[in-house]
Amino acid sequence: MAKTASSPLASAPRLTELLASAEPLTLDERRQIVRQAQVLIEQLFVHLPLKRAMHAVDPVQRLHLLDRRLEGFSDRRFHDEMISIFIGLRDLHTNYILPLPFAGKTATLPFRIEACWEGDTRRYLVSGVAEGLDLPPFGLGVEVTHWGGIPIERAVALNGERNAGSNVDARHARGLITLTQRPM
């Protein structure tokens, strides 16, 4: 969908614009973030023993290792590692939030996909389309069978593994919704 003056997306920044406006963190700022995360997880996260046992994760050790390797990391790699550590906790209440200009931003596709059951088969259908999006035969009710060349069921599962959620159903729900709406 083209970004025109009358489009609801007209005021939305493009990803390239957002990336260009991001200021990299200094090494000291990265160290401070890692050390604050260590305090949060080691001293305040009451579910740490449970999460270690349930998911075989050690976020404290991962943070110690990250702290030692910070100098060789780009901003993107640093944030990716922090996100991965927090997602590994599988706790929807414990998150790593990116700094400005990404904080509070959501990358959105102009449609929504939902799952439904037909007998024993789960199907994925387009359940919402942004106003002004007219790309026949794409539209409401269209079945989505693949995502980026991957069968949709597998794509949702893979995406769910990159999201918090302590059980399979929670990961499926998060994996599905974040196909088309991803908090930055």
Side-chain angles (χ1 to χ4, degrees):
M1 179 170 158
K3 206 164 128 173
T4 64
S6 62
S7 163
L9 302 176
S11 64
R14 294 208 181 269
L15 182 57
T16 53
E17 296 165 0
L18 196 63
L19 291 172
S21 69
E23 291 187 31
L25 296 173
T26 66
L27 182 59
D28 287 340
E29 290 169 329
R30 291 181 194 177
R31 281 224 159 79
Q32 182 178 8
I33 290 168
V34 169
R35 291 180 181 153
Q36 287 174 342
Q38 287 171 323
V39 168
L40 170 76
I41 293 172
E42 275 184 298
Q43 298 177 24
L44 301 173
F45 186 57
V46 298
H47 300 296
L48 182 59
L50 174 67
K51 297 298 183 169
R52 279 180 168 151
M54 282 180 66
H55 304 298
V57 296
D58 191 348
V60 175
Q61 184 61 28
R62 284 187 68 188
L63 286 164
H64 285 298
L65 292 171
L66 177 59
D67 194 31
R68 299 176 110 178
R69 300 181 309 202
L70 280 175
E71 291 186 45
F73 279 39
S74 66
D75 248 30
R76 170 70 187 262
R77 187 165 177 210
F78 169 72
H79 292 307
D80 285 349
E81 185 66 20
M82 289 296 295
I83 290 168
S84 176
I85 290 167
F86 276 82
I87 286 173
L89 293 172
R90 301 263 179 244
D91 187 282
L92 290 174
H93 307 98
T94 311
N95 298 297
Y96 176 72
I97 308 297
L98 290 172
L100 293 174
F102 306 105
K105 299 279 193 275
T106 302
T108 305
L109 294 177
F111 59 94
R112 183 177 54 250
I113 300 172
E114 293 185 52
C116 64
W117 290 93
E118 188 174 286
D120 292 339
T121 305
R122 185 167 20 207
R123 297 178 61 207
Y124 296 86
L125 304 175
V126 174
S127 62
V129 178
E131 185 180 319
L133 182 66
D134 187 23
L135 300 170
F138 183 82
L140 286 177
V142 167
E143 184 173 7
V144 179
T145 60
H146 288 75
W147 189 264
I150 301 170
I152 188 69
E153 188 77 30
R154 180 74 177 135
V156 170
L158 289 170
N159 198 40
E161 289 300 317
R162 291 188 292 266
N163 287 276
S166 192
N167 61 57
V168 173
D169 291 333
R171 285 192 294 277
H172 181 270
R174 297 293 303 148
L176 181 57
I177 196 164
T178 58
L179 286 179
T180 58
Q181 298 175 357
R182 288 191 187 174
M184 300 288 288

